Amino acid sequence: QVQLVESGGGLVQPGGSLRLSCITSGLAFSNAVMTWYRQGPGKERELVAHIGTADDATNYADSVKGRFTISRDNAKNTGYLQLDSLNAEDTAIYYCRIDILSGDRWIDYWGQGTQVTVSS
């Protein structure tokens, strides 16, 4: 059974930092790609960052470039999203998504989300 568990969210002041984790089980994490999404209050879900199977294959939404860093530790079956220089616009529920090739098609799995609130 595939499971994705996010953690690391919380309340932080503007300019602060958080590190989100996405711990996976039940799949070959090293063969999967990972994407972080977020959904703010009254907003649609948006892609934040993506990482391929290797650490050097990353891309980011323009709104978070230079402030957020996505990474992965295949030995721990875990992906991360480092959030720095946070501002109120970053307030959202953050979700990790895993896509893995099964036969000739990709299958996606989602975590339950972790709340990030940026407020003074």
Side-chain angles (χ1 to χ4, degrees), residues 65-111:
K65 277 181 183 176
R67 300 189 299 121
F68 291 7
T69 304
I70 190 171
S71 63
R72 62 190 295 157
D73 185 337
N74 289 340
K76 294 182 178 180
N77 297 323
T78 301
Y80 303 97
L81 187 66
Q82 178 68 37
L83 288 61
D84 296 318
S85 302
L86 286 161
N87 58 61
E89 292 297 308
D90 298 316
T91 294
I93 300 173
Y94 285 71
Y95 301 89
C96 68
R97 167 180 165 168
I98 296 295
D99 290 84
I100 191 165
L101 192 62
S102 178
D104 60 354
R105 65 190 186 108
W106 288 88
I107 299 176
D108 63 294
Y109 300 94
W110 291 80

Side-chain angles (χ1 to χ4, degrees), residues 6-118:
E6 296 119 330
S7 63
L11 174 64
V12 63
Q13 293 186 340
S17 297
L18 286 172
R19 189 193 197 201
L20 308 183
S21 299
C22 178
I23 302 173
T24 73
S25 60
L27 54 76
F29 181 71
S30 60
N31 295 334
V33 299
M34 184 180 71
T35 310
W36 285 91
Y37 290 80
R38 68 183 180 185
Q39 187 165 15
K43 299 180 181 179
E44 293 189 353
R45 188 171 297 189
E46 63 173 346
L47 186 150
V48 175
H50 174 86
I51 186 167
T53 54
D55 271 346
D56 57 351
T58 60
N59 56 71
Y60 298 89
D62 288 343
S63 59
V64 306
K65 277 181 183 176
R67 300 189 299 121
F68 291 7
T69 304
I70 190 171
S71 63
R72 62 190 295 157
D73 185 337
N74 289 340
K76 294 182 178 180
N77 297 323
T78 301
Y80 303 97
L81 187 66
Q82 178 68 37
L83 288 61
D84 296 318
S85 302
L86 286 161
N87 58 61
E89 292 297 308
D90 298 316
T91 294
I93 300 173
Y94 285 71
Y95 301 89
C96 68
R97 167 180 165 168
I98 296 295
D99 290 84
I100 191 165
L101 192 62
S102 178
D104 60 354
R105 65 190 186 108
W106 288 88
I107 299 176
D108 63 294
Y109 300 94
W110 291 80
Q112 82 288 354
T114 185
Q115 176 72 48
V116 172
T117 302
V118 184

